[in-house]
């Protein structure tokens, strides 16, 4: 039987299951009547959907709902704190990190370690990351959770629809396929072959996605809210994040603008001074050479080695810069202002081309925003083509992410979890049974 628009009844049911689960996850606890109202169906129509989600363990009943009219009050529904979890991982230049989030969006486990990944061979890096993944998987298993998917954030270009890092200059990686090393990193412990729980195929167990870290930072802004008031940014914005490299993600109508090959957003290699410093990419005068963390350290008379010595662990460079700027060190303050100028020049082209409503600064830039923003905003104002009027500012608003350096990792975990929210039917399968997929 086919509904209008060519949708089958089965397809409509899958979408309505997703809508119920998403409504309760976003706004719950909800009564059955409340869930029905949110998705625009009758209470009788929502009942079998709720029952299926309850049987699958994705929803739970928490008790009596507040009476809102005639009849006996129903039970409140909430997403379960057990069952599927999204696993996010991040490969940084100087660190590795993993976290797990449940259907309620809470971080249930997290692990991170310092790691000198710059120009390291992929094999040892991925082996160390696999160990972190195994530890987080064991931790959440003790709480009744199982991995529903894994998304990995990387500081480089990822071929669209694959797990291949085409080029990550600050890691020194080219054409590295992460799938062989990570596809089985979250495979459940094997069971005896004669066990009724033994899967027919003991292959990889969870979907694997690999994504540019700036893109995942932008998705985190969309899903978790980036402003100080907790509200999500507008549906059209540019998200900029920086460590040694600088990446950007362009969001249009709430969707990532990926480009034909998936390489959109390489802001760090936009030339701001065409005859300027040589860059590892082969060009000259790239933004990264003036606004990346190591470039700012050099401009302030510092070295990455000193930053690591004074502030061990991830974030050493931005932590040292922030401390010195707070203390009023003139060279550091000047270097950060010059970085803001370069950022403003690079972003002006993006703003004039795409007309976003906002620019969001994430990553290390969130910590350094007090010293970077004035010169950045000045350049945007000077270089934006649309004239400013009292009721229409010429440049977009510039906001600072409240997620900071955690944005890419949280974005990765929530992206992995999204597969469950978008397709609960698939998520209802036993944890060991789905084949690996690459997004």
């Amino acid at each position: 039987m086919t509904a209008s628009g060519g949708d089958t009844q089965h397809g409509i049911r899958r979408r309505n299951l997703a809508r119920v689960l998403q409504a309760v996850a976003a706004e719950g606890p909800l009564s059955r009547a409340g869930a029905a109202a949110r998705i625009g169906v009758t209470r009788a129509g929502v009942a079998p959907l709720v029952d299926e989600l309850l049987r699958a363990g994705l929803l739970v009943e928490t008790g009596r709902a507040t009476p809102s009219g005639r009849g006996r009050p129903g039970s409140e529904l909430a997403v379960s704190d057990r069952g599927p979890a999204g696993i996010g991982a991040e490969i940084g230049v100087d660190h590795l990190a993993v976290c797990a989030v449940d259907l309620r969006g809470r971080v249930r486990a997290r692990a991170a370690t310092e790691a000198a990944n710059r120009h390291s061979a992929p094999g040892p890096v991925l082996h160390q990351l696999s160990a972190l993944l195994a530890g987080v998987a064991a931790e959440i298993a003790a709480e009744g959770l199982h991995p529903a998917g894994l998304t990995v954030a990387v500081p480089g270009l990822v071929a669209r629809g694959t797990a291949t890092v085409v080029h990550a200059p600050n890691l020194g990686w080219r054409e590295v396929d992460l799938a062989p090393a990570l596809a089985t990193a979250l495979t459940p412990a094997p069971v005896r072959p004669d066990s009724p729980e033994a899967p027919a195929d003991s292959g990889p167990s969870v979907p694997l996605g690999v994504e540019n870290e700036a893109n995942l930072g932008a998705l985190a802004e969309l899903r978790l809210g980036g402003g100080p008031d907790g509200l999500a940014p507008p549906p059209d914005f540019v998200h900029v994040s920086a460590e040694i490299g600088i990446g950007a993600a362009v969001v249009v109508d709430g969707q990532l603008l990926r480009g034909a090959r998936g390489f959109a957003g390489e802001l760090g290699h936009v030339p701001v001074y065409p005859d300027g410093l040589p860059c590892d990419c082969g060009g000259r005068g790239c933004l990264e050479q003036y606004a990346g963390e190591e470039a700012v350290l050099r401009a302030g008379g510092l070295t990455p080695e000193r930053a690591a010595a004074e502030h061990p662990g991830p974030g050493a460079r931005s932590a040292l810069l922030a401390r010195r700027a707070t203390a009023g060190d003139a060279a550091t303050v000047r270097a950060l202002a010059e970085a803001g100028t370069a950022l403003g020049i690079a972003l002006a082209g993006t703003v004039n081309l795409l007309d976003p409503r906002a620019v969001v600064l994430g990553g290390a830039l969130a910590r350094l925003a007090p010293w970077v923003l004035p010169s950045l905003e000045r350049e945007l104002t000077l270089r934006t083509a649309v004239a400013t009027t009292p009721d229409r500012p010429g440049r977009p608003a510039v906001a600072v992410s409240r997620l900071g350096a955690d944005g890419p990792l949280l974005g990765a975990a929530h992206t992995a979890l999204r597969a469950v929210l978008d397709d609960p039917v698939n998520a209802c399968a036993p944890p060991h049974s789905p084949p690996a997929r690459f997004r």
Side-chain angles (χ1 to χ4, degrees), residues 69 111 134 136 143 148 154 164 193 201 256 259 301 315 347 383 386 433 437:
V136 166
E143 300 183 21
V154 296
T164 297
D201 180 359
L256 282 174
L347 281 168
R383 297 173 184 274
V386 178
S433 62
R437 299 189 300 272

Side-chain angles (χ1 to χ4, degrees), residues 136-195:
V136 166
E139 187 174 344
I140 64 171
E143 300 183 21
L145 292 161
H146 64 264
L150 166 63
T151 301
V152 184
V154 296
L157 302 175
V158 180
R160 193 167 185 170
T162 76
T164 297
V165 179
V166 176
H167 189 204
N170 291 310
L171 295 178
W173 292 5
R174 282 188 180 273
E175 300 297 336
V176 177
D177 183 2
L178 273 56
L182 298 181
T184 59
L186 295 173
T187 302
V191 295
R192 296 195 333 265
D194 58 344
S195 167

Side-chain angles (χ1 to χ4, degrees), residues 25 60 78-87 99-110 140 143 145 224 410 413-414 417:
V60 293
V79 290
S80 176
D81 60 2
R82 300 168 68 86
I87 311 297
C99 79
V101 298
D102 63 17
L103 284 170
R104 299 186 183 188
R106 298 178 301 175
V107 175
R108 299 289 292 273
R110 181 168 181 161
I140 64 171
E143 300 183 21
L145 292 161
L224 304 177
L410 292 173
H414 281 268
L417 188 66

Side-chain angles (χ1 to χ4, degrees), residues 10 31 57 84 93 129 183 188 206 212 215 247 282 287 314 319 324-325 355 401 406-407 422 430:
H10 180 65
S31 66
V93 172
L129 182 62
V206 299
N212 173 267
N215 284 347
L287 174 63
R324 291 176 68 87
D355 189 28
S401 171
D406 285 339
D422 288 344

Side-chain angles (χ1 to χ4, degrees), residues 33 69 84 94 137 162 184 186 253 255 282 285 294-295 313 320 378 381:
D94 58 7
T162 76
T184 59
L186 295 173
D253 289 335
Q255 301 293 322
E294 290 190 354
L320 177 59
R378 182 177 64 248
T381 300

